[in-house]
Amino acid sequence: MPDSWVKKLFRKNVEALEPYKPILPFEVLAENLGRRPEEIVKLDANENPYGPSPKVLEALASYPYYHIYPDPQQKRLRKALSGYVSVPADNLLVGSGADELIDLLVRLFVEPGEYVVNFPPTFGMYEFDAEIGGGRVLSIPRRNDFSLDVDAAVQEITRLSPPPKLLFVTSPNNPDGGVLPPDELERLIELPIVVVVDEAYNEFSGAPSFAPKVLERENLVVLRTFSKWAGLAGLRLGYGVFPQAMLDGLWKIKQPYNVNVAATVAGLAALEDMPYYRKTIDAIISERERLYRELQEVPYLRPFPSKANFVLCRVVGRDAYGLKKALEEEGIIVRHYHKPGLENMIRISVGRPEQNEIVLERLKQLV
Ligand SMILES: Cc1ncc(COP(=O)(O)O)c(C=O)c1O
């Protein structure tokens, strides 16, 4: 097809972006394999295999006001969250997933051509949003064991002129599941840069959240989400703990109706049903440990210890993509990687015990 003249009107940085590579939706994979969607063992996106609690589903079904626009300030949800993360509601802002808040932070701070600091391998949205926002990415690669090279970060950040304004660090990190030691965060927040700690997987880690620390610092943000522990990935609900000065800017640029009513209803009901969620979170943690132990017994896999709801594995002596495809033929979906720092790897999200059993059995048979 000839290139349309309209494309020439795109912003310059859009032209340089890689086209989006859509994943195969699991319903389509099920159809291709002649199976029912519920027979697919979907362990590729760190979703919660238990889904939302029954009380959340009831609250969604009985809510009578879907025809009314949402509260732009999300007052009830922020009040409930304030109890959950032990910070004042005034320091909270809710988003359509943590993803939206990453985008808002880039929009608030990054001018075209300015740098955002990133620690790859990690979650892809920091780089994605920085580039869409017209920024550039300063990558400080993690070491082979996925720990941060804080000395390199300090050196690079202080060397750049103009200095970068925004830094993203993930704890537990996706895709390896390692947590950020508090002393390393201390060193990062001493720098004249806004440090965003993405704690999407905090509930599975047993590590204390850095959220209360936001109240002591002008340059620290903590992002959290309902996608993982609460099983609400499809409804898109995340939030951040921000210092007051930053909120003055964020409230100005946030779309008023950024969070839909169903997500709010579900989030509130989830926070009221913590005994249920405590059980499913504990089940995921104990299955993660079992998965890690048993993956160590698969001769061609080298799993990394994880504090999240997934286990990353180096594949040795065979092709990780071929392995992913072989599992896919059996209706098992895992995430495959082959890029710097993640050569020949797969990541397996923690499923229900019976799903983990299926993937483990298949991996052991594939020797
Ligand atoms: C580190 C990290 N942050 C954020 C997200 C996305 O969170 P949300 O679904 O709330 O946008 C993910 C999802 O995989 C993630 O891995």
Side-chain angles (χ1 to χ4, degrees):
M1 222 203 299
D3 239 15
S4 160
W5 62 270
V6 176
K7 282 194 175 176
K8 298 199 175 70
L9 308 183
F10 288 0
R11 286 162 57 213
K12 281 285 159 283
N13 67 316
V14 176
E15 214 175 273
L17 293 175
E18 289 285 321
Y20 177 69
K21 290 192 203 85
I23 56 152
L24 190 64
F26 84 109
E27 296 99 320
V28 177
L29 175 71
E31 208 178 302
N32 292 349
L33 292 171
R35 296 178 190 222
R36 294 196 310 267
E38 55 277 22
E39 288 170 355
I40 299 295
V41 179
K42 186 177 185 310
L43 303 176
D44 62 337
N46 307 336
E47 289 135 343
N48 188 319
Y50 297 98
S53 88
K55 287 189 182 154
V56 168
L57 297 177
E58 272 167 38
L60 282 166
S62 62
Y63 185 73
Y65 303 120
Y66 288 119
H67 58 296
I68 307 286
Y69 282 109
D71 166 17
Q73 296 186 317
Q74 298 296 340
K75 279 207 159 113
R76 280 190 67 204
L77 182 59
R78 283 168 52 229
K79 186 157 178 271
L81 275 171
S82 149
Y84 180 62
V85 272
S86 309
V87 300
D90 280 350
N91 289 91
L92 293 165
L93 191 99
V94 185
S96 175
D99 282 352
E100 187 197 8
L101 301 170
I102 297 167
D103 178 55
L104 278 178
L105 283 160
V106 170
R107 286 168 188 248
L108 183 65
F109 288 108
V110 183
E111 303 270 9
E114 286 184 344
Y115 280 97
V116 170
V117 180
N118 193 32
F119 294 100
T122 191
F123 183 49
M125 290 306 280
Y126 319 125
E127 192 169 345
F128 176 87
D129 285 327
E131 287 175 352
I132 288 176
R136 285 190 277 184
V137 179
L138 172 67
S139 291
I140 320 248
R142 287 171 179 259
R143 299 194 186 94
N144 286 344
D145 64 356
F146 298 101
S147 62
L148 290 194
D149 188 346
V150 181
D151 288 336
V154 172
Q155 216 174 39
E156 292 279 302
I157 291 166
T158 44
R159 177 185 65 84
L160 268 189
S161 173
K165 294 176 181 164
L166 195 56
L167 173 155
F168 288 97
V169 60
T170 320
S171 182
N173 189 41
N174 176 5
D176 60 286
V179 296
L180 176 68
D183 59 316
E184 295 187 2
L185 177 67
E186 285 300 329
R187 289 190 64 200
L188 294 174
I189 52 182
E190 284 310 314
L191 297 166
I193 190 167
V194 173
V195 174
V196 183
V197 184
D198 183 342
E199 292 187 348
Y201 302 98
N202 172 270
E203 280 81 356
F204 306 110
S205 73
S209 167
F210 291 117
K213 209 169 184 53
V214 173
L215 307 180
E216 302 161 19
R217 308 291 311 198
E218 272 184 304
N219 63 331
L220 178 63
V221 173
V222 168
L223 299 182
R224 304 281 292 264
T225 179
F226 284 78
S227 292
K228 313 297 177 178
W229 69 271
L232 297 180
L235 281 181
R236 315 302 300 123
L237 186 63
Y239 58 99
V241 187
F242 299 92
Q244 203 50 58
M246 233 179 267
L247 286 162
D248 291 346
L250 288 166
W251 280 112
K252 282 190 200 171
I253 63 172
K254 173 185 100 64
Q255 292 210 21
Y257 303 136
N258 60 329
V259 179
N260 74 72
V261 171
T264 311
V265 167
L268 276 166
L271 292 171
E272 282 168 13
D273 200 9
M274 285 316 290
Y276 168 91
Y277 279 113
R278 199 58 261 165
K279 280 192 227 140
T280 49
I281 292 168
D282 287 347
I284 290 168
I285 293 172
S286 94
E287 276 298 293
R288 173 190 73 210
E289 296 306 311
R290 177 174 85 99
L291 195 61
Y292 174 67
R293 272 196 315 274
E294 297 210 20
L295 286 169
Q296 283 177 307
E297 284 161 26
V298 178
Y300 57 86
L301 292 180
R302 303 285 180 276
F304 290 87
S306 165
K307 294 285 181 199
N309 65 340
F310 48 81
V311 179
L312 180 72
C313 302
R314 185 186 304 286
V315 181
V316 287
R318 69 191 302 161
D319 176 37
Y321 187 68
L323 180 63
K324 180 206 156 64
K325 288 312 246 184
L327 291 171
E328 208 169 275
E329 278 168 28
E330 307 286 326
I332 303 165
I333 324 179
V334 301
R335 177 81 190 259
H336 162 256
Y337 296 100
H338 193 58
K339 57 183 178 184
L342 288 176
E343 289 86 2
N344 214 41
M345 300 222 192
I346 57 166
R347 189 197 62 197
I348 307 172
S349 305
V350 179
R352 293 168 180 251
E354 61 275 19
Q355 295 177 311
N356 302 330
E357 208 44 55
I358 291 173
V359 73
L360 283 166
E361 226 172 80
R362 193 69 198 118
L363 285 167
K364 286 174 188 167
Q365 284 165 0
L366 279 167
V367 172

